Structures are given as C-alpha cells and as structure tokens.
Amino acid sequence: MNKFWKVLLASLLILVFVAPVLFLFIRSVSFGWRFPDVLPDAFSLRGWQAVWSDPQLIRALWTTIGIGTAVVVLNYLLALPAAYALSHHEPRGKAVIETVIMLPIFVPVLAVAMGLHLFMIRIGAADSWIGVVLIHMLPTLPYAVRILKSGFDRLQTDWMWQGRTLGMGPVRTFFGLMLPMMLPSLRSCGILVFVISLSQYVLTAIIGGGRVTTLPILYFPFFSSADEAVTASFTMLFALLPIVFLVLLETALYTYHKWSRTV
C-alpha cells in the first residue's frame, strides 16, 4: 500500500511540475502543432531565434538579474536584524510593529506605488534602477521578515550563550554560529524574494518610467504574439532565471557555510 501511494504521489508531482515544463519546451521548438495531434508537424528553433534577435534582451536580462540580486541583498540586510529582534526580544508594541511590517501585503500595492512615485520624483530616484530596487522592497520585505523570523524562532538562545562561554564574541557568534543554522531560511527567503522581484511588471513600469527595461517589460509584447513558439520560448527563458539564481545562491551559501566552519 505504501508503494502504491508513493507511485501515486510521484505521478502527481510529475503531472503538476514536470509535464507543463516539458510541454512548454516542446511548444517552443515545434511548428504546426495542433490538437489533437500527439506530436508537432515539424521542429524548428525559430521561436528561440526570434527571442534572441531582440536587441534589448541581453540588457534586460542583466538588468533583471542585477535588480533581483540587489533586492535580495537589501532584504537580507534589513530583514535579518528585524527578524532577530522580533524573535528573540520583546520590544514594546511588538504586535503593532509586526502588523506595520505586514501592511504592504494587505494594502493594494498599486495605490502605495502611486504615492511613492511622487516621493521618488522629488528625491530623484524615479526613472532609475535605484528607484525600482526600492519599490521592489515593498512587496518583498514582509515575506523576508516573516520567513527569517520563523527561522530564528526555531533557534534557542542557549546556543548563543554557549558560544559566548566558549570565547566567541557577539558578532562572531551571530555570523559563525547562528547564521549557518539559518541556511534553510536564508535559502527560502532569497529565492522567494527573487521570484517576487522578477514578476513585478506594474511597479517596474511606474517607477522605472519606461527607462528601466526588465524581462517582464519585454515579456508582454512577446506574450501578445500570435506565434505560440515565440511565446513559449520567452516563457521558458523567463522561467529559467529563478533556477539560475537558485544555483548561484546555493553556491554562495555553501561557500559561506564552509567559511563559517573555519571561523
């Protein structure tokens, strides 16, 4: 019976996660594939050629990766101390602070973005990648704080005191003892923040003012294309970015873990 449920679960996972990706890839290299045909009439790379022929694609790729990475790093810098303070301390008005941090999720982002756009125009951050990075903090920071706080909740404060009794200073204890145990939460936080930043179209269009071109900005003209192979090719490229970022993030976290063991 256990084997049956394992096979059933594996089949469902393949059906939900693998089959759509496989179908999308075949669609991106197919020509003349119509229902109810099992296989397309011919295979062609013209969809990928059309995508890569766009002169703005390379710049949009680097801009998207750069903005997403900057948003992840900035979330780490702000969310880590906030999550640690909310988890291991009892500041006055803790419930109010947590509510304020989560407000961007409950309030319509578009309404807040329009107000912040006027503020960014005043400070000169509009129509620039700096303004886009700052506005992407709005929908990502609440999730980052929530995920990292859950990670800190699982860590006992006694471990920090044990590190202190062994001669480790507070900074060394935090970076050499606590953060290595937070790697699963750091991984989840990083990839979620990157995916949320990657998917922002309206916020990027409003604050970027059409001067900051990311993949979502390019995606909609391709999405309205009548050629399904072109649409599928760009969708595959769009979906590969989080996988590439996950590999880079895993490499960075693995390097940090090795370094922390030598501290």
Side-chain angles (χ1 to χ4, degrees):
M1 194 65 177
N2 287 334
K3 185 177 180 180
F4 169 77
W5 287 110
K6 289 180 180 179
V7 172
L8 180 61
L9 179 60
S11 302
L12 289 176
L13 291 175
I14 293 174
L15 182 64
V16 173
F17 295 105
V18 179
V21 177
L22 182 61
F23 172 79
L24 195 63
F25 174 75
I26 297 176
R27 172 64 74 180
S28 69
V29 296
S30 65
F31 180 76
W33 194 8
R34 296 177 179 86
F35 183 82
D37 296 340
V38 178
L39 293 175
D41 298 337
F43 292 95
S44 173
L45 294 177
R46 59 187 180 79
W48 288 97
Q49 291 172 353
V51 170
W52 287 105
S53 64
D54 192 320
Q56 293 183 302
L57 181 62
I58 300 300
R59 174 183 290 183
L61 271 174
W62 285 112
T63 302
T64 303
I65 295 173
I67 289 176
T69 303
V71 172
V72 171
V73 172
L74 200 54
N75 267 275
Y76 281 153
L77 293 177
L78 296 178
L80 273 171
Y84 179 79
L86 291 174
S87 177
H88 288 186
H89 298 281
E90 292 293 333
R92 182 176 298 179
K94 179 179 178 180
V96 177
I97 296 174
E98 291 182 340
T99 303
V100 171
I101 291 176
M102 300 300 294
L103 271 180
I105 299 178
F106 305 126
V107 179
V109 177
L110 185 60
V112 180
M114 296 302 295
L116 289 177
H117 188 209
L118 299 176
F119 172 74
M120 289 188 179
I121 291 175
R122 291 177 178 269
I123 65 175
D127 301 341
S128 67
W129 68 270
I130 296 177
V132 174
V133 169
L134 293 178
I135 199 64
H136 282 195
M137 296 294 295
L138 192 64
T140 56
L141 188 59
Y143 291 105
V145 174
R146 191 68 179 177
I147 292 173
L148 295 177
K149 181 181 179 298
S150 299
F152 279 120
D153 288 342
R154 293 192 295 267
L155 302 182
Q156 299 179 5
T157 55
D158 295 342
W159 293 341
M160 288 199 67
W161 289 112
Q162 289 177 8
R164 298 291 297 274
T165 56
L166 293 175
M168 301 174 66
V171 176
R172 186 180 176 187
T173 302
F174 183 80
F175 287 99
L177 181 62
M178 296 290 286
L179 280 190
M181 293 187 290
M182 285 282 295
L183 290 184
S185 297
L186 291 173
R187 182 184 301 110
S188 302
C189 174
I191 189 62
L192 179 62
V193 166
F194 184 83
V195 170
I196 294 176
S197 174
L198 177 65
S199 62
Q200 297 304 314
Y201 171 78
V202 176
L203 294 181
T204 303
I206 292 175
I207 305 302
R211 297 185 180 180
V212 181
T213 303
T214 58
L215 279 185
I217 301 297
L218 288 181
Y219 181 78
F220 278 86
F222 279 103
F223 189 73
S224 61
S225 172
D227 195 330
E228 294 182 353
V230 176
T231 304
S233 300
F234 199 94
T235 305
M236 283 291 297
L237 178 63
F238 198 81
L240 283 175
L241 270 187
I243 299 176
V244 173
F245 179 79
L246 179 60
V247 173
L248 296 176
L249 181 64
E250 287 287 350
T251 304
L253 293 178
Y254 176 75
T255 304
Y256 175 78
H257 182 62
K258 289 186 64 176
W259 171 83
S260 65
R261 295 178 65 180
T262 61
V263 175

